Amino acid sequence: MPTTSLSQADGGVGVKNGVNYFGKKNWVGAFAVPAAVVNDLGFLQTLPDHAARGGIVEAFKVGLIRDSKLADYIATHAAQLAGRNKRIFEKVIIASARLHLRHIATGGDPFEMGSARPLDFGHWLAHKLEQMSNFRLAHGDAVAVGLAVDARYAAARGWLKLVLAERVGRTLEILGCDTGNGENNPLVRRLLLRDGGKAVLTGLEEFRQHLGGALTLTMLRGWGHARETGDIDSELMRRVILRSTTAE
């Protein structure tokens, strides 16, 4: 019975029930398909704004890679979502849960035994930022940074139109997320700038190790469409990260 927007929209309808330990993400836990999940939307009304935001970010993520209509809906209604419009908020959480459930039930690899984590767009950076912040940075806020950076990287590689990458960042900022400029959360900017952007890049290696040695990232190739790639230019990624902080 998940009680947060993040768990109702994403984690609670999946197979992972983990806790952070030894400074690592989901280091200890159980991995099993549940017999049933009860999403009581009443719980969502008790959440503070920063906790409510996490599920919306994950819903935006899955929309960007799987459902252009959902991504459009969130982008169009970002201000109302930030204002906690009950009807819109619940509609987005339900849509996200359905997309995550569809992947678990029909995606063919619910335990991620292969080389890819197809729903983890933006998560290589998110997991690293959480770890570097000693988990002071909430998962949803970290994912927002990852989405914005990876969208800009995809644009820099020519995989995504720049106007779409900019729409990703703008939507997240309207939702109240800080994607690197430090206006809402100076911690994010400090982490991204550490060691000239090289510190967070170690997250790529850690992501690769988690996947058994093969680096495979989910990247955007359009609004609502994803591509999997192991071709990551780490120096270009570093420059994209630095530009996201408005650093010279």
Side-chain angles (χ1 to χ4, degrees):
M1 184 174 283
T3 60
T4 68
S5 70
L6 187 65
S7 57
Q8 289 196 11
D10 182 343
V13 295
V15 302
K16 291 184 285 189
N17 297 276
V19 295
N20 305 330
Y21 203 58
F22 293 120
K24 299 293 185 180
K25 182 77 175 179
N26 292 333
W27 198 249
V28 178
F31 295 80
V33 178
V37 177
V38 177
N39 271 3
D40 184 343
L41 296 172
F43 282 120
L44 302 182
Q45 303 310 310
T46 70
L47 298 174
D49 287 344
H50 75 274
R53 189 166 58 233
I56 301 302
V57 172
E58 287 285 6
F60 191 41
K61 170 215 72 180
V62 76
L64 285 170
I65 58 178
R66 293 290 176 89
D67 188 335
S68 61
K69 290 183 179 180
L70 176 58
D72 266 331
Y73 187 82
I74 293 172
T76 301
H77 295 87
Q80 289 113 310
L81 287 165
R84 304 287 294 276
N85 180 288
K86 183 175 183 292
R87 179 184 63 84
I88 296 173
F89 186 44
E90 291 182 351
K91 182 176 180 178
V92 167
I93 296 299
I94 292 169
S96 177
R98 284 175 174 162
L99 286 170
H100 282 85
L101 178 61
R102 183 187 304 168
H103 172 75
I104 295 298
T106 67
D109 187 19
F111 293 98
E112 296 173 350
M113 302 298 289
S115 63
R117 287 186 282 180
L119 293 185
D120 275 2
F121 169 51
H123 278 54
W124 76 267
L125 180 54
H127 288 175
K128 186 61 183 179
L129 288 172
E130 289 178 87
Q131 178 188 341
M132 289 172 63
S133 73
N134 292 318
F135 300 100
R136 287 178 292 163
L137 188 63
H139 181 66
D141 290 331
V143 169
V145 183
L147 299 184
V149 166
D150 279 358
R152 293 182 188 119
Y153 176 83
R157 290 293 300 266
W159 300 336
L160 181 70
K161 293 181 179 178
L162 180 59
V163 66
L164 295 179
E166 291 174 344
R167 191 182 186 201
V168 171
R170 185 165 60 252
T171 299
L172 293 166
E173 289 169 1
I174 294 172
L175 289 171
C177 304
D178 192 316
T179 58
N181 59 25
E183 291 183 1
N184 295 328
N185 193 339
L187 174 62
V188 171
R189 188 173 189 273
R190 289 199 302 269
L191 295 175
L192 291 175
L193 287 175
R194 187 177 296 176
D195 194 21
K198 294 178 182 178
V200 291
L201 280 180
T202 61
L204 285 170
E205 177 65 18
E206 292 170 10
F207 205 82
R208 183 176 74 86
Q209 290 175 349
H210 175 86
L211 294 171
L215 175 61
T216 306
L217 299 185
T218 299
M219 286 283 174
L220 291 183
R221 63 177 178 85
W223 191 261
H225 301 281
R227 59 177 290 159
E228 293 177 2
T229 181
D231 175 23
I232 302 298
D233 183 334
S234 59
E235 177 55 26
L236 176 59
M237 182 70 80
R238 188 182 74 87
R239 295 199 301 270
V240 168
I241 288 170
L242 293 182
R243 284 200 299 271
S244 74
T245 67
T246 67
E248 295 297 330

